[in-house]
Amino acid sequence: MTHSLPSHARVVIIGGGIIGTSVAYHLGQLGWAGDVVLLERDQLTSGTTWHAAGLVVTFGSLSETSTELRKTTRDLYARLEAETGHSTGFRPVGFIEAAADRDRLEEYRRVAAFNRYHGVDVAEIGPDDIARLFPLADTRDLLAGFYVAADGRADPVGATVAMAKGARMRGVQIFEGVPVTRVTQNRGRVTGVETPFGNISAEVVVNCAGMWARELGAAVGVNIPNQAAEHYYLITEPFAGVSSSWPILEDPASHGYYREEVGGLLVGLFEPVCAPWKVDGIPKDFSFGEIPPDWDRMTPFLERAMKRVPKTLEVGIKKFFCGPESFTADLRPIVGEAPELRGYFVAAGLNSIGIITGGGMGKVLAHWIATGQPDVDITGMNIDRLHPYQNTPEYRRHRTVESLGLVYACHYPTRAPLTARGAKRSAFHERLAAAGAFFRDVSGWESPDWYSPDEPPDPGPLSFGRMRWFPLWQAEHEAARSAVIAMEMSFMSKFFVEGRDAAAVLDRISTARVAGTVGVITYTQWLNPGGTIEADLTVTRLGEQRFLVIVTDTMHRHAETWLRRAIGEDEHAFVSDATGAYAQLNLQGPRARDLLQTLTDTDLSNEVYPYRTAREISLGYARLFCIRMSYLGELGYELVIPTEQAVHVYDRIIAAGGAFGLRHAGLKALASLRLEKGYRDYGHDIDNCDNLFEAGLSFTLALDHDFVGRDAVLAQKAAGVPHRRLCHVRLDDPEPLLYHAEVVYRDDVAVGTVRAGSYGFSVGGAVGLAMITAGAPADAAWINGGRWSVEIAGTRYPATVSLRPFFDPTNARLKA
């Protein structure tokens, strides 16, 4: 077969599954039709799309972005036949999520409240209602169900072909049987693709190659750590009494989901212990392929799932299907422009929800390509959150077992990964372990979550309530407010920026003036041209041509890429990643100065060493950067120490600390202390869709200098008080806890959700930061004029909402 390929296209999409065709369709909708080519190595849907179960479900996510992707996808499948004449097979038969235990009931009530706020019409129903809607289910042990009548099922092949037809109708060219053998590049930018039938030059290449995406990316140095795993469903023989109008029933506690299939039932599985598939590489000729099922391994899981619908144990089995699905380390998709290569976009690693989110995902990516910026919060799924170490075969083999196993686990807010651990350890690790640290994975780093100084750390069972370590956390929090704590923060990302033009580059991309006095640290933001936030960070001027940039761990590669791409070709400035070269230990609390002063001859008095001072000091045999800064709202110092001298410095501090009430403190204390002060955390409380006025960060603006996004900022300022504001929330009742995504009410009207929550031991109740949409200027008068409450798992609790932090709003302690 020969193909007449165009010699040029603005966009070449690789992969003809549900995601690739969705990107093509939506680019066509945006008017790019004649400039878009989609290349499929075999036939449309031949990878994993063809064997998907076809669920179309809007319920289940505590992410606004994911929820909107699901809604967009459902609506697209519902209307696409009228537009294209090709059926997507969408049928709104309904969906039920079953809660079989108290913790799942709490989880789903939390999810339901959040989903309702974002427009999903979900109703809590009883076991009898479930039995009425799905008569074959054994509901005797179920506590409740969560029912969305408008959800349902689609034909994955039909939906893909319909989008492909819609794309062709707008001039997109789609070629089947054309594999991409190589993506070409020049000077860090995509230039096109090579195929056996000719080459196509292109400005943008979009990797939608599914489980082949990792290897395709690796060929040009792009990190895409997705991994295929076995995925199963069973189809029974047809039998009497089954109705195609029954809703989909999902029971994660039994590892299964259930729906009608050609007069029988389909029983789908997400087992807690899975099998990765082809870790070393996916066969290039694998099309419409199946994997021989592992009956021995799967039988216990299958039997448990089938007991939820006992009739399935009695009828014949028509098919026990096993096919590969692609999963990621954190069960989030891999989406966006690769940090390694400009113009190279990725949409892969959909974690078995490609059909559920595919329509929305293609729309997001098309907008991103066309405008240069995403129009939704992508901080949780951006490709640049992932690191090369996560792409090693051993990491993928181990973590995939856990990530797929967590699909149907109860999603406790304090759950942390247990596999692929020990990838990164700070110089302090052994000392902290001896001090009783309970470690958790922080972007691959082993970082203390809390300490058990008197006995081995035992977290106990996971819970939505107060866990075993709650009193230990409280003691650490209170030590920070009354004495002094040592907090290991080596996971923070650190970059040196040096060169003749370093000051000019940093000033140009920072909202504050950072190229000021040597020895001063500046808190600032980086914005995109649209005036929304790309990074939240500090910049310390160490010399005339030398700066230290510190940013949170989750934004490591994003901030680094943003910084490197800001340097013009004719500018003399260089970025070096110093994260592993320097350990970081923070001393925080009202006695931090007294302790540190005993260990250095540098005068730390407030007059000589005021807030925001940064200098190199001596401590014992070491030279280190001592930055007077705090993320906790206390007098404090961040010690950035050469790794080889870190243990020496730590030992000196611990030896001297007893006289000052020094206590180790972990990440739980970090969260509670910073949320009492309302300090922001990019990717959690603020994201790429927020501007500085909405986020309460306009104090970082220096409008007397030109910076990226300044024009947009001036327009935002001229618009007056925003209708959307990030506010401080505190529950009046000291018992309930806040975590994330709880719905906030003003005068019984839902107006927002909590973005991050913790417990405020110093202020007497759970605290958080919530994004509120007022429908009017969200000023202090509007805030103070309302009666506030927060919904937690179906119960409303009175709350206090403020534009000012609840702890030390004047910063008196911080600057003491």
Side-chain angles (χ1 to χ4, degrees):
M1 178 184 295
T2 60
H3 297 276
S4 180
L5 302 181
S7 61
H8 174 77
R10 291 178 72 184
V11 181
V12 172
I13 301 165
I14 305 172
I18 195 75
I19 306 301
T21 55
S22 180
V23 174
Y25 171 83
H26 285 99
L27 281 171
Q29 293 274 40
L30 292 175
W32 282 44
D35 296 314
V36 179
V37 171
L38 185 151
L39 303 178
E40 163 55 44
R41 65 185 180 91
D42 191 354
Q43 299 177 46
L44 297 182
T45 79
S46 63
T48 60
T49 296
W50 73 275
H51 64 71
L55 309 189
V56 181
V57 177
T58 56
F59 177 82
S61 177
L62 287 176
S63 158
E64 179 180 353
T65 297
S66 182
T67 301
E68 292 301 322
L69 292 179
R70 292 167 180 237
K71 290 166 53 186
T72 298
T73 300
R74 184 185 65 185
D75 295 346
L76 176 63
Y77 295 164
R79 64 172 171 79
L80 206 53
E81 183 175 1
E83 177 186 332
T84 66
H86 192 97
S87 174
T88 64
F90 177 66
R91 287 189 284 154
V93 294
F95 170 79
I96 303 169
E97 186 83 273
D101 56 67
R102 289 291 171 188
D103 283 359
R104 291 182 193 275
L105 182 60
E106 168 138 357
E107 177 188 349
Y108 300 152
R109 282 176 171 168
R110 287 171 172 268
V111 171
F114 181 81
N115 286 180
R116 286 187 201 106
Y117 177 70
H118 288 290
V120 177
D121 186 13
V122 53
E124 182 174 338
I125 61 178
D128 292 343
D129 297 311
I130 300 173
R132 176 177 53 82
L133 291 164
F134 203 106
L136 292 180
D138 180 356
T139 64
R140 290 173 296 175
D141 63 329
L142 296 180
L143 301 179
F146 294 82
Y147 177 50
V148 183
D151 285 353
R153 52 186 289 193
D155 170 20
V157 173
T160 302
V161 173
M163 283 194 288
K165 185 175 180 180
R168 287 189 176 110
M169 288 167 62
R170 286 164 177 77
V172 173
Q173 298 182 74
I174 298 177
F175 297 90
E176 297 179 271
V178 180
V180 170
T181 56
R182 181 169 173 255
V183 174
T184 59
Q185 59 178 302
N186 183 45
R187 298 174 65 88
R189 183 179 289 276
V190 158
T191 57
V193 299
E194 296 178 356
T195 84
F197 305 100
N199 303 335
I200 304 175
S201 65
E203 301 163 28
V204 172
V205 170
V206 190
N207 181 343
C208 300
M211 57 185 172
W212 291 272
R214 175 176 58 82
E215 294 167 83
L216 185 63
V220 287
V222 172
N223 181 56
I224 309 172
N226 65 325
Q227 173 58 49
E230 295 179 5
H231 183 51
Y232 289 83
Y233 55 75
L234 178 145
I235 301 173
T236 73
E237 295 286 357
F239 61 95
V242 177
S243 172
S244 62
S245 65
W246 289 354
I248 298 157
L249 173 63
E250 186 171 57
D251 176 23
S254 297
H255 317 312
Y257 60 90
Y258 317 85
R259 67 162 175 81
E260 181 272 344
E261 176 72 13
V262 196
L265 287 179
L266 181 148
V267 180
L269 293 166
F270 282 100
E271 69 273 25
V273 181
C274 81
W277 187 70
K278 300 294 184 184
V279 173
D280 295 331
I282 308 299
K284 289 182 169 51
D285 60 351
F286 188 82
S287 293
F288 298 106
E290 299 183 31
I291 303 169
D294 187 341
W295 283 94
D296 290 340
R297 184 177 70 83
M298 293 301 298
T299 294
F301 307 126
L302 185 60
E303 288 178 343
R304 178 164 180 171
M306 295 174 79
K307 286 179 181 177
R308 177 58 65 201
V309 186
K311 186 68 174 178
T312 60
L313 294 166
E314 302 171 8
V315 299
I317 296 174
K318 181 178 180 180
K319 178 77 172 178
F320 188 35
F321 177 84
C322 178
E325 289 277 359
S326 182
F327 292 85
T328 65
D330 54 8
L331 280 180
R332 295 172 178 173
I334 303 174
V335 180
E337 187 177 20
E340 301 91 348
L341 187 59
R342 283 189 168 183
Y344 191 107
F345 282 79
V346 177
L350 273 293
N351 300 288
S352 205
I353 59 169
I355 305 302
I356 292 173
T357 62
M361 190 68 75
K363 183 178 181 181
V364 167
L365 207 62
H367 181 277
W368 195 339
I369 292 166
T371 67
Q373 294 293 331
D375 59 346
V376 298
D377 169 21
I378 48 78
T379 54
M381 62 181 174
N382 199 326
I383 184 174
D384 61 20
R385 77 187 188 279
L386 298 164
H387 294 261
Y389 81 90
Q390 295 173 293
N391 218 340
T392 63
E394 186 170 344
Y395 184 98
R396 287 185 282 109
R397 182 181 293 111
H398 292 166
R399 181 55 68 83
T400 301
V401 174
E402 182 177 20
S403 60
L404 188 151
L406 290 176
V407 170
Y408 273 0
C410 189
H411 299 101
Y412 295 103
T414 56
R415 186 189 289 277
L418 300 176
T419 59
R421 294 290 297 272
K424 302 178 186 178
R425 293 182 174 181
S426 78
F428 305 121
H429 183 84
E430 298 304 326
R431 295 289 200 273
L432 302 180
F438 177 79
F439 294 97
R440 68 174 294 155
D441 182 315
V442 178
S443 298
W445 291 87
E446 294 296 314
S447 189
D449 204 22
W450 45 270
Y451 289 83
S452 178
D454 300 323
E455 57 186 10
D458 178 7
L462 292 169
S463 168
F464 285 93
R466 284 167 166 75
M467 293 180 60
R468 182 175 296 172
W469 37 260
F470 200 90
L472 298 171
W473 168 24
Q474 179 175 357
E476 295 171 21
H477 180 109
E478 291 174 348
R481 296 292 189 226
S482 64
V484 57
I485 60 167
M487 184 174 285
E488 199 266 341
M489 298 283 286
S490 298
F491 59 81
M492 293 295 287
S493 305
K494 312 169 196 74
F495 303 97
F496 286 115
V497 186
E498 301 174 90
R500 181 189 63 239
D501 297 314
V505 169
L506 286 168
D507 244 8
R508 186 170 65 240
I509 62 174
S510 300
T511 59
R513 283 193 174 275
V514 299
T517 306
V518 172
V520 171
I521 181 173
T522 302
Y523 174 54
T524 189
Q525 317 291 309
W526 291 345
L527 307 180
N528 54 52
T532 58
I533 305 170
E534 293 291 341
D536 173 85
L537 64 147
T538 62
V539 179
T540 302
R541 188 164 200 174
L542 302 174
E544 289 301 315
Q545 297 186 9
R546 192 177 193 224
F547 296 80
L548 174 64
V549 171
I550 299 181
V551 65
T552 186
D553 60 292
T554 56
M555 292 294 110
H556 183 119
R557 299 192 77 206
H558 182 76
E560 181 181 14
T561 302
W562 196 265
L563 176 55
R564 291 185 186 280
R565 290 181 177 177
I567 301 171
E569 290 188 2
D570 58 346
E571 289 185 303
H572 185 271
F574 310 94
V575 179
S576 56
D577 181 356
T579 303
Y582 287 82
Q584 184 172 331
L585 188 69
N586 292 359
L587 297 181
Q588 305 282 326
R591 303 208 69 188
R593 178 190 290 120
D594 299 337
L595 168 57
L596 191 57
Q597 190 64 83
T598 67
L599 299 171
T600 181
D601 57 0
T602 300
D603 186 349
L604 300 177
S605 66
N606 203 38
E607 296 74 22
V608 176
Y609 215 99
Y611 179 62
R612 293 180 54 214
T613 298
R615 295 178 188 167
E616 193 174 32
I617 69 169
S618 297
L619 195 160
Y621 303 140
R623 295 285 291 174
L624 56 93
F625 296 113
C626 176
I627 300 171
R628 186 176 166 190
M629 198 70 174
S630 174
Y631 191 51
L632 313 181
E634 295 289 345
L635 167 68
Y637 304 88
E638 299 178 353
L639 307 181
V640 181
I641 314 161
T643 296
E644 67 274 14
Q645 294 191 301
V647 171
H648 168 69
V649 171
Y650 171 89
D651 287 345
R652 290 293 181 97
I653 289 171
I654 298 304
F660 302 92
L662 177 68
R663 187 181 182 107
H664 289 85
L667 295 170
K668 285 290 178 290
L670 174 71
S672 58
L673 291 159
R674 71 102 178 170
L675 282 171
E676 286 185 339
K677 273 293 287 181
Y679 286 143
R680 279 52 168 166
D681 186 359
Y682 190 81
H684 294 90
D685 326 311
I686 54 176
D687 59 53
N688 58 281
C689 290
D690 300 326
N691 68 48
L692 297 182
F693 301 98
E694 296 167 338
L697 295 172
S698 59
F699 66 90
T700 69
L701 288 168
L703 291 172
D704 60 344
H705 84 294
D706 194 17
F707 56 85
V708 174
R710 182 174 180 271
D711 289 346
V713 166
L714 290 173
Q716 293 158 4
K717 183 179 181 181
V721 177
H723 290 200
R724 183 173 173 269
R725 296 285 289 271
L726 193 66
C727 300
H728 307 266
V729 177
R730 182 187 65 219
L731 298 184
D732 298 340
D733 184 337
E735 287 306 309
L737 304 178
L738 292 176
Y739 293 109
H740 165 72
E742 296 87 356
V743 178
V744 180
Y745 291 79
R746 181 184 186 272
D747 295 339
D748 297 322
V749 177
V751 294
T753 60
V754 174
R755 286 191 169 176
S758 187
Y759 196 83
F761 296 100
S762 308
V763 298
V767 292
L769 287 168
M771 184 58 80
I772 303 301
T773 301
D779 54 19
W782 186 85
I783 297 291
N784 296 333
R787 175 175 48 85
W788 294 90
S789 61
V790 177
E791 181 178 354
I792 303 174
T795 301
R796 291 255 211 105
Y797 296 91
T800 301
V801 173
S802 172
L803 292 175
R804 287 162 60 83
F806 296 113
F807 183 82
D808 189 26
T810 64
N811 290 331
R813 295 170 69 95
L814 189 69
K815 299 179 179 180

